[in-house]
């Protein structure tokens, strides 16, 4: 697949992941999902993580030539943390109560990975200046806010996806408007 297609799918992944995080946070806040995680919200959590990973891959395709080893290492670190969170959710779905033991170390790793990847994005200077700080602040700002933070993280990802979508069009020379 052409790299512009992967960037487009990454932008869509960020936006769909953001919507999934937003739905997860709002539904938990307003009581649509149980206080104790059930199958529905854990599956939505897995979907949100998978779309978030797809968004990161699309972002990587756009800037991989500009951020070097630091950017690649922070991307892979973040993807491993996401995989760990997915593993924890799958273990929970299989009937184990060890979700919290699996989740927190990988959640903190994902936080660190996204901050580092945001720094790499700033250093790469491929995207607009605001993009890196949004990526850096998305998890540290939203994590302490519990379910409100889950929804806020979703909004951050929708913004990042839209920014990636707009830049993908600019990078391939497509006109912004048709006259």
């Amino acid at each position: 697949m052409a790299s512009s297609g992967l960037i487009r799918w990454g932008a869509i992944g960020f936006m769909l992941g953001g919507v999934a995080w937003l739905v997860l946070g709002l539904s938990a806040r307003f009581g649509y999902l149980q206080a104790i995680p059930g199958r529905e919200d854990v599956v939505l959590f897995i979907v949100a993580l998978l779309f978030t990973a797809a968004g990161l891959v699309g972002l990587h395709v756009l800037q991989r030539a500009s951020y070097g080893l630091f950017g690649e290492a922070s991307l892979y670190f973040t993807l491993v943390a996401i995989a760990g969170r997915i593993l924890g959710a799958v273990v929970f779905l299989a009937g184990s109560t060890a979700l919290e033991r699996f989740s927190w170390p990988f959640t903190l790793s994902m936080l660190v990975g996204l901050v580092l990847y945001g720094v790499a994005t700033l250093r790469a200077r491929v995207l607009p200046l605001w993009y890196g700080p949004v990526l850096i602040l998305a998890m540290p700002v939203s994590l302490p806010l519990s379910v409100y933070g889950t929804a806020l993280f979703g909004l951050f990802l929708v913004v990042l996806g839209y920014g990636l979508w707009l830049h993908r069009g600019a990078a391939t020379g497509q006109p912004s408007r048709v006259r």
Side-chain angles (χ1 to χ4, degrees):
M1 179 180 281
S3 62
S4 65
L6 289 174
I7 297 167
R8 172 175 281 202
W9 282 110
I12 292 169
F14 266 153
M15 288 188 273
L16 290 176
V19 169
W21 286 112
L22 186 62
V23 167
L24 189 62
L26 292 177
S27 61
R29 166 61 184 103
F30 293 110
Y32 298 120
L33 300 174
Q34 303 121 359
I36 298 172
R39 289 194 178 279
E40 300 84 16
D41 53 340
V42 175
V43 170
L44 185 58
F45 175 71
I46 292 170
V47 167
L49 286 169
L50 288 171
F51 279 131
T52 302
L56 289 170
V57 170
L59 182 56
H60 168 70
V61 168
L62 176 65
Q63 56 186 9
R64 68 179 160 211
S66 302
Y67 59 43
L69 184 60
F70 177 73
E72 284 198 39
S74 58
L75 169 74
Y76 295 137
F77 183 81
T78 307
L79 291 176
V80 167
I82 289 172
R85 292 184 83 190
I86 291 170
L87 176 65
V90 169
V91 166
F92 177 80
L93 286 175
S96 174
T97 58
L99 178 63
E100 288 303 315
R101 277 182 271 164
F102 263 93
S103 184
W104 274 106
F106 288 113
T107 299
L108 293 177
S109 296
M110 186 174 159
L111 182 145
V112 170
L114 284 175
V115 168
L116 293 175
Y117 197 59
V119 170
T121 298
L122 273 174
R123 291 174 59 192
R125 297 183 181 183
V126 173
L127 292 158
L129 186 59
W130 61 267
Y131 204 94
V134 170
L135 193 58
I136 291 168
L137 293 174
M139 255 188 103
V141 168
S142 61
L143 194 59
L145 300 175
S146 187
V147 293
Y148 295 109
T150 302
L152 181 61
F153 185 69
L155 289 175
F156 280 134
L157 287 183
V158 168
V159 168
L160 290 172
Y162 186 68
L164 184 58
W165 181 271
L166 290 179
H167 188 18
R168 187 215 57 87
T172 57
Q174 295 177 351
S176 59
R177 285 189 343 187
V178 178
R179 295 183 193 245

